[in-house]
Amino acid sequence: MADQYDFDVVVVGAGFAGLYALYKLRNDLNMRVRVYETGDGVGGTWYWNRYPGARCDSESYYYCYSFSPELAQEWKWSGRYPEQPEIERYLNHVADRFDLRRDIQLSTRVTAATFDDAANRWEIQTDRNDTVTARYLVTAVGCLSAPNMPDIPGMDDFEGDVYFTATWPREPVNFTGKRVGLVGTGSSGIQATPEIAAQAAHLTVFQRTPNFSLPARHRAFLSEDQAKIKANYDEIFALTRESFAGFPFHPIDRKTMSVTTDERREILEGLWAEGGFKFLWGGFIDLLRDDEANEIASEFIRSKIRETVNDPQTAELLCPQGYPYGAKRPPIDTDYYETFNRENVTLVDISEAPIEVITPTGLRTTMAEYEFDAIVFATGFDAITGALLRIDIRGTGDVRLADAWSDGPRTLLGLQVTGFPNMFTITGPGSPSVLLNMPVAIEHHVDWIADCLEYMRERGWTRIEATEEAQDAWAEHVADLGEQSLFVRANSWYVGANIPGKPRVVLPYTGGQPMYRERCTAVKDSGYEGFVFGGSLDQNAMLAAKKA
Ligand code: N01
């Protein structure tokens, strides 16, 4: 009988990545899998981020799984960008449809994982005192899941209500009649602002850095839309796997300066009218590579902000300056800029006058004092590495992952770390991850891991580890591309700049999906060059017998 505390694979997290990893490894590879999830429901990011206005900013019909054509055909997205509850319903449907729940333990945080070098197994501990072992550890912890709670003096002194967008309560929050302060103007703050403003007596938005936000142009789907999507799903999914950023479209095959001023304006207006990420990934081909092209697009967006916001001073404060468009992750919004025309909304620039202290009645910047009934922190995440490093992961020689990455993360393909055999990191640092449409990146990684485990099983091997040499070469490649990219030109979570003390390195792979997939496939086809295999099932049987 199988040992109830021993698994082939332990998966950490039951969001998009964890659910698919469980499905794939259990259903296709017939492995014994246990998933641990901190939340008391599945969904990961889409379980926790239930703040007002939380909506996916990639479009529903391709921000979803492609592995099951039946699932794609039967699920009906209500509109262009699903709100958080709809994605949470979708992921719950997936859990039920594929009978995943029986292998998921909810309300359980993995606190530690230690590699046993002799047995080639991981020992995993949780905050519910579980200790289990598994041949493989697969982290599906999410790239934007470890909340960044800013360390502002007086955080505990506030007598009103405090909310974090990243850990929003399940019960609806009512801001009617309240004076609300909102800190942070990234995607979360930009989505929450119009919704809170519509309820609150007054909303004060504290902005440290303005963002280039694009209109989402959300709309409900008509039955014709549904039919068209379903009829074209094969092509849509194929495009998401081919394109640079995992979206089902390519940039237009023209450079910004290759067209006349009028044509350029017309193209930009068209992209603006269409809304969403088309502007970023479906516009001029040199947008993110050429400074002049980027400045033209940036100035176009600034002109839209100035057109929208009535008060010229507020409009100017909302206009980003000093960094290229795309260097920070651009948000997508519904009526964000329009909200600053409301009588009950004030924008406060804290770039020069930061928040000094949270007081019992509100907060104080170096310039002024504000009184609130509630404060909302939309201050983002310790991105890409944060959720991994909050687990005490120890590899060979008891080396902590936190120590191995003290100067910044190093991986092979964003999938494995030297010194941490048998651990796979879905959408880990050094892979395109957040620069792709996430479900596409996740499915690619899970499929690659499954192929690799199948390859090992066929040969009776029980240990895989990235060589130092291969990891160094990949880390250097990731760093070289990153240094050449525009991401180094802004302070953002892409480079860890939002977390005090975090090493400043470009965390995702910036070479785009085609180049990345090509490399992953080449490694697989070569018999996993750059990885060393070891162990054997015989040796494991002997070890087990010895233990018994
Ligand atoms: O976090 P952010 P987010 N004092 O880091 C400010 C994804 N996402 O949760 O820019 C004052 O972008 C900080 O200021 P600055 C998406 O990939 C997707 O909004 O560092 N201010 C910034 O304005 C997104 O990019 C969706 O100067 C402080 C804000 O807080 C990512 O998640 C929805 C501060 C944080 O912005 C993160 O977005 C939401 C301090 N101490 C998120 N610390 C959808 O798909 C931070 N700030 C819908």
Side-chain angles (χ1 to χ4, degrees), residues 408-419:
R410 298 173 77 75
T411 66
L412 179 51
L413 298 172
L415 277 158
Q416 269 227 339
V417 184
T418 308

Side-chain angles (χ1 to χ4, degrees), residues 45-46 49 51 53-58 63 82 87 144 148-152 165-166 183-191 206-211 277 323 328-332 350-351 354-355 377-381 383 434 491-494 497-498 500:
T45 294
W46 294 105
N49 286 265
Y51 57 85
R55 195 186 273 287
C56 184
D57 53 16
S58 297
Y63 186 86
I87 307 181
L144 294 155
N148 171 32
M149 314 286 198
D151 187 17
I152 303 172
T165 49
V183 182
T185 53
S187 299
S188 306
I190 280 178
Q191 287 188 331
F206 293 90
Q207 171 189 273
R208 190 163 68 179
T209 313
N211 243 310
F277 279 128
Y323 70 88
K328 276 168 103 75
R329 158 67 153 73
I332 308 282
I350 51 167
S351 61
I355 298 170
F377 288 95
T379 41
F381 302 90
V434 291
N491 291 324
S492 78
W493 57 260
Y494 284 143
N498 62 331

Side-chain angles (χ1 to χ4, degrees), residues 288-307:
L288 301 179
R289 291 190 220 138
D290 180 88
D291 280 356
E292 193 179 4
N294 190 291
E295 181 51 25
I296 285 172
S298 303
E299 193 48 35
F300 176 85
I301 300 173
R302 289 185 206 110
S303 74
K304 293 293 183 188
I305 299 172
R306 292 182 186 117
E307 266 171 38

